[in-house]
Amino acid sequence: IHLTDPVQNMSFMDKYFQGIEIVLFPPSIYISELQSKGSLSLGIQNIYFENKGAYTGEIAAAQAKSIGCSYVLIGHSERRELFLESDDLLKKKVNSALAENLKIIFSCGESLEVRTKKEHLSFVKKQLENSLFHLSEKEILNCIIAYEPIWAIGTGLNASEEQAEEMHSEIRYFLTENYSNKIE
């Protein structure tokens, strides 16, 4: 479903998706308007890792929580590439989000160059190790890992079912390698 106007589509979503948690990540200027509409969860597309201080234009995890967000998107490829967000910065954002009890959608993925060199599995593992695997088992349960192959975004190329399953299987393996078998 393509929601061009998320506010007007709230009744449609309430009617057809009962019993399913839907998380909407609108531009931050619409979050407070959407908070009172419908029963879906709201997420913020980005946070800054500091909760106090003068960081003009940035939104702290505590601020996101205060306007009704329960989720945050961290590690999106556009943030990594356009804003040069490093694994270390993402780790700080993860810590800040968890300190405010926000659930995390953590994006990971590789470029076409990395995939062509057949380094995609180790590349994604490094992203997870550097940004997430410092977390306790309890904390990692508040993270949803989303595989996002950068080479398939807006390029006309698509990840095959086999490519996606290979990465999903490896991510599950990386999780059980670092945490108990209960984590998948």
Side-chain angles (χ1 to χ4, degrees):
I1 300 169
H2 180 59
L3 298 176
T4 55
D5 185 350
V7 175
Q8 289 182 346
N9 285 290
M10 296 303 288
S11 60
F12 171 83
M13 294 179 67
D14 284 342
K15 180 178 177 182
Y16 291 100
F17 294 101
Q18 291 180 3
I20 298 172
E21 183 179 22
I22 297 172
V23 183
L24 185 64
F25 291 84
S28 58
I29 61 172
Y30 299 117
I31 291 171
S32 60
E33 183 177 353
L34 289 168
Q35 189 214 17
S36 63
K37 310 229 186 255
S39 59
L40 58 104
S41 299
L42 293 173
I44 193 159
Q45 294 177 3
N46 184 44
I47 58 167
Y48 191 62
F49 64 89
E50 294 286 354
N51 269 327
K52 295 182 180 178
Y55 303 103
T56 302
E58 296 296 329
I59 300 170
Q63 291 171 315
K65 185 80 170 184
S66 75
I67 60 169
C69 291
S70 53
Y71 286 84
V72 60
L73 183 60
I74 296 176
H76 193 278
S77 63
E78 292 167 0
R79 301 279 326 164
R80 289 177 189 263
E81 289 188 2
L82 299 176
F83 298 97
L84 306 177
E85 291 191 351
S86 67
D87 290 344
D88 186 53
L89 176 65
L90 299 178
K91 180 179 182 178
K92 291 176 183 178
K93 288 183 176 194
V94 164
N95 293 341
S96 180
L98 290 175
E100 293 299 324
N101 296 312
L102 291 172
K103 295 176 187 166
I104 297 167
I105 307 290
F106 186 86
S107 295
C108 59
E110 79 285 355
S111 66
L112 184 57
E113 179 183 356
V114 169
R115 178 157 280 275
T116 302
K117 290 180 182 178
K118 301 201 182 302
E119 297 172 352
H120 53 290
L121 300 176
S122 62
F123 185 85
V124 168
K125 182 178 184 180
K126 184 179 178 191
Q127 288 178 326
L128 298 174
E129 287 174 338
N130 292 342
S131 301
L132 289 182
F133 286 174
H134 67 286
L135 299 175
S136 71
E137 194 163 294
K138 183 179 177 184
E139 291 171 322
I140 198 75
L141 290 172
N142 288 307
C143 300
I144 298 168
I145 299 173
Y147 172 54
E148 179 189 33
I150 299 165
W151 53 270
I153 300 171
T155 63
L157 300 172
N158 295 312
S160 70
E161 185 177 324
E162 293 79 19
Q163 290 169 321
E165 182 50 43
E166 174 194 38
M167 187 59 75
H168 292 165
S169 177
E170 286 298 310
I171 290 171
R172 285 189 293 275
Y173 175 75
F174 299 151
L175 284 167
T176 56
E177 187 178 55
N178 287 279
Y179 300 97
S180 73
N181 288 334
K182 295 182 282 186
I183 307 293
E184 283 192 33

